[in-house]
Amino acid sequence: MTETIGFVGLGKLGRPIAGNLLQAGYPLRVHNRTASKAEELVTRGAQLASTPADAVTSGGIVISLLWDDASVESIMTDDFLSRLGRGGVHVSMSTLSPEASRRIATLHAKHGSLFVEAPVFGRPEAAVARKLFIVYAGLPAAKERVKPLFEAMGAQKSFDFGEAIGAATTVKLVGNMLIISAAASLTETLTLARNSGVDPHAVVDMLTTTLLSAPIYQTYGRMIADGTADLASSPIPTKDLGLFKETARALSSPAPISTFLLDLRSKPGSDRNVDPVSPMPSAP
Amino acid sequence: MTETIGFVGLGKLGRPIAGNLLQAGYPLRVHNRTASKAEELVTRGAQLASTPADAVTSGGIVISLLWDDASVESIMTDDFLSRLGRGGVHVSMSTLSPEASRRIATLHAKHGSLFVEAPVFGRPEAAVARKLFIVYAGLPAAKERVKPLFEAMGAQKSFDFGEAIGAATTVKLVGNMLIISAAASLTETLTLARNSGVDPHAVVDMLTTTLLSAPIYQTYGRMIADGTADLASSPIPTKDLGLFKETARALSSPAPISTFLLDLRSKPGSDRNVDPVSPMPSAP
């Protein structure tokens, strides 16, 4: 269990996940476009790879956790694919479109390597606390090989969504849409509470110990009541609502709410009122 | 604690709550516009009151659980108010506008009687299972007197939102908006899952044991995945989104999402796609 793992993408979530792997005893070869973000991991023993392909070990496991479809597809150069080679496994943890995930799987199949999509639910704090959730899909042989890594990465639980690539990325988009929608409605409702003279913290305490006793409502409810929610400034909701909407459109699946939430984010100053996931505005 | 309690409004939720009070040993005088709905309670020992005022005991406690602002205000005749008299307490469990709740409180104050707003969260099944949540507000003397009733009614927990009438009704509107929004987003997302070939039950199982491990998501997630959700045919979401929107408008508090969800319900066949809280449609 001490084979060297490649890790490409050391963003806010990638760094603590890679750190967890190091701590679990896995030698790592890490790559990030901005190399300075690798410094702490290198200090802790990771090897620095100068390119994504350089992070790959022949027949080994390489993990990617990048921003979007294009960033993951851009690392899959001929060099990357030929180094990974027969029997190598690429584990993609990014939030991708199911379509891109299937394109990536096809590319691997052509080169004899394997692909597991394994998007992850959790904020960076949850990675540090080893409270992540991973949903995954792929061929059984590939999944068997990478499954032990999930707990080492910091997953408190992982969920197998079968063999068909696209299933786990869809579940990730479903989950993110539900989180973004919940946070937006929390903002609107807690703003009304505050404007009515009702302490939003008391409302959050009540709701999150009763009907809505879920981590998402506890985390975002507190942040929204405190005015420290970061969803308005984060590009993630816009990206993921867009992926949800496009995925739904391709299947003629109705998507009125995700479309509306996406529109609201692009017109924060319009007469449609406020960005739904901004910190609570007060009444004029 | 065996004083006779008045109970006006024996709808789907009123009947099991009144039944819980009977079972807890409280003699009841019950009234319902359609008297046949009182039959089972009368069989179990409740007295049938021919008018709302007839359910009232002088200086006693009368509970109302009716459809809307107008129905509660309509029972408050001179007869009702003079019978209740000095020291009597009206406990309103309906989902009202904060404004109507304040009007009702003012009317009671003029007649020397007391008012507690105590809206209730829970479906009829939850009343039977004694798993309700009650949020309440009112003057301390009135609250002290009625508080023991909440557990007898079937509340697993109750939450005091202070003295200002309107606070608890606002919290109820906040909670209902969050529930309706969550159910609508669950419908949209589980529909995408199903149209993508992913079993919506597996998605619900994953989400409701992780990020969204809350009763609302468990109850509605399962119903939506099963195709048995009743929110599309229920008039409650439309009524309560309307109350939320009007309350927000009066305070210049932004309400884009509640307004959008309300619009969607009034245009289920429009090109804005589907009623967000209908049973899952499938892809064409």
Side-chain angles (χ1 to χ4, degrees):
Chain A
M1 288 303 289
T2 52
E3 65 170 321
T4 298
I5 309 288
F7 202 107
V8 180
L10 302 171
K12 282 185 190 163
L13 194 54
R15 289 198 298 278
I17 290 177
N20 286 342
L21 283 170
L22 270 184
Q23 201 177 354
Y26 286 92
L28 288 191
R29 282 189 68 78
V30 299
H31 173 77
N32 194 63
R33 205 171 42 181
T34 309
S36 60
K37 292 195 177 160
E39 274 169 18
E40 195 223 329
L41 291 163
V42 170
T43 308
R44 291 170 59 191
Q47 300 173 317
L48 187 63
S50 57
T51 64
D54 185 34
V56 174
T57 305
S58 176
I61 296 173
V62 61
I63 296 162
S64 63
L65 181 34
L66 298 164
W67 171 240
D68 63 2
D69 291 357
S71 22
V72 179
E73 293 192 275
S74 76
I75 68 168
M76 300 183 62
T77 56
D78 287 344
D79 196 15
F80 181 97
L81 288 161
S82 61
R83 277 210 202 201
L84 188 58
R86 191 153 299 275
V89 187
H90 177 189
V91 181
S92 163
M93 302 187 75
S94 317
T95 301
L96 302 179
S97 70
E99 203 187 327
S101 201
R102 284 187 288 263
R103 279 197 305 269
I104 293 168
T106 302
L107 200 54
H108 279 293
K110 276 185 195 159
H111 286 78
S113 48
L114 296 159
F115 180 62
V116 174
E117 56 173 15
V120 55
F121 286 104
R123 297 170 57 87
E125 309 90 90
V128 173
R130 297 180 165 272
K131 298 275 188 197
L132 300 171
F133 297 108
I134 292 175
V135 289
Y136 61 100
L139 293 178
K143 290 190 293 194
E144 279 313 303
R145 183 156 169 213
V146 304
K147 241 177 97 172
L149 287 177
F150 295 152
E151 195 184 333
M153 287 177 190
Q156 59 175 301
K157 204 168 171 190
S158 56
F159 295 82
D160 187 344
F161 276 88
E163 293 193 24
I165 294 292
T169 40
T170 298
V171 173
K172 171 65 173 162
L173 294 181
V174 161
N176 277 20
M177 160 60 188
L178 288 170
I179 294 167
I180 295 163
S181 164
S185 290
L186 270 170
T187 302
E188 180 165 320
T189 54
L190 295 178
T191 301
L192 178 67
R194 198 176 62 178
N195 289 340
S196 301
V198 179
D199 177 11
H201 292 92
V203 180
V204 169
D205 287 348
M206 192 280 290
L207 291 171
T208 62
T209 54
T210 57
L211 324 163
L212 297 166
S213 54
I216 287 306
Y217 285 87
Q218 288 153 354
T219 302
Y220 286 101
R222 202 169 30 236
M223 288 196 298
I224 291 165
D226 289 345
T228 58
D230 53 6
L231 282 163
S233 58
S234 167
I236 294 174
T238 302
K239 187 199 93 170
D240 292 355
L241 289 171
L243 287 179
F244 185 96
K245 179 186 165 182
E246 291 310 316
T247 304
R249 178 185 291 174
L251 293 162
S252 301
S253 194
I257 301 169
S258 48
T259 302
F260 179 74
L261 293 174
L262 189 61
D263 287 351
L264 268 186
R265 288 185 68 86
S266 65
K267 300 171 197 164
S270 79
D271 60 3
R272 285 179 115 167
N273 296 332
V274 292
D275 182 335
V277 289
S278 65
M280 282 200 291
S282 50
Chain B
M1 288 309 285
T2 54
E3 65 169 320
T4 298
I5 308 289
F7 203 106
V8 180
L10 302 172
K12 282 184 191 163
L13 194 54
R15 287 197 299 279
I17 291 177
N20 287 342
L21 284 170
L22 270 185
Q23 200 177 356
Y26 287 93
L28 289 192
R29 280 188 70 76
V30 298
H31 173 77
N32 195 63
R33 206 172 40 180
T34 308
S36 60
K37 291 194 179 163
E39 274 168 19
E40 195 224 330
L41 292 163
V42 169
T43 307
R44 292 170 59 189
Q47 301 173 317
L48 186 64
S50 57
T51 65
D54 185 34
V56 174
T57 304
S58 176
I61 295 173
V62 61
I63 296 161
S64 63
L65 181 36
L66 298 164
W67 171 241
D68 63 1
D69 291 357
S71 26
V72 179
E73 294 192 275
S74 75
I75 67 167
M76 300 184 63
T77 57
D78 287 344
D79 197 17
F80 181 97
L81 288 161
S82 61
R83 278 209 201 199
L84 189 58
R86 192 153 298 278
V89 187
H90 177 189
V91 182
S92 164
M93 302 185 75
S94 316
T95 301
L96 303 178
S97 69
E99 203 187 328
S101 202
R102 285 188 287 263
R103 280 197 305 269
I104 294 167
T106 302
L107 200 55
H108 279 293
K110 277 185 191 157
H111 287 77
S113 47
L114 296 160
F115 180 64
V116 174
E117 56 173 16
V120 54
F121 286 104
R123 296 170 58 87
E125 309 90 89
V128 173
R130 299 180 163 274
K131 297 277 189 196
L132 300 170
F133 297 107
I134 291 175
V135 290
Y136 62 100
L139 293 178
K143 290 189 292 194
E144 279 313 304
R145 185 156 166 214
V146 305
K147 240 176 97 171
L149 288 177
F150 295 152
E151 196 184 333
M153 287 178 190
Q156 60 174 301
K157 203 168 172 191
S158 57
F159 295 82
D160 187 345
F161 276 89
E163 294 192 23
I165 295 291
T169 40
T170 298
V171 173
K172 172 65 174 160
L173 294 181
V174 162
N176 277 20
M177 159 61 188
L178 289 171
I179 294 166
I180 295 163
S181 163
S185 291
L186 270 170
T187 302
E188 180 165 322
T189 53
L190 295 179
T191 301
L192 178 68
R194 199 177 59 176
N195 289 340
S196 300
V198 179
D199 177 9
H201 292 93
V203 180
V204 169
D205 287 349
M206 191 280 290
L207 291 171
T208 61
T209 53
T210 56
L211 324 163
L212 297 166
S213 54
I216 288 306
Y217 285 87
Q218 287 153 356
T219 302
Y220 287 101
R222 199 167 34 232
M223 288 196 298
I224 292 164
D226 289 344
T228 59
D230 53 5
L231 282 164
S233 59
S234 168
I236 295 174
T238 302
K239 189 199 91 169
D240 292 355
L241 289 170
L243 287 179
F244 186 96
K245 179 185 165 184
E246 291 311 315
T247 304
R249 178 185 291 174
L251 294 162
S252 300
S253 194
I257 301 169
S258 47
T259 302
F260 178 73
L261 293 174
L262 189 61
D263 287 352
L264 268 188
R265 286 185 70 85
S266 65
K267 300 172 198 162
S270 80
D271 59 5
R272 285 178 115 165
N273 296 334
V274 293
D275 182 336
V277 289
S278 65
M280 283 199 292
S282 52

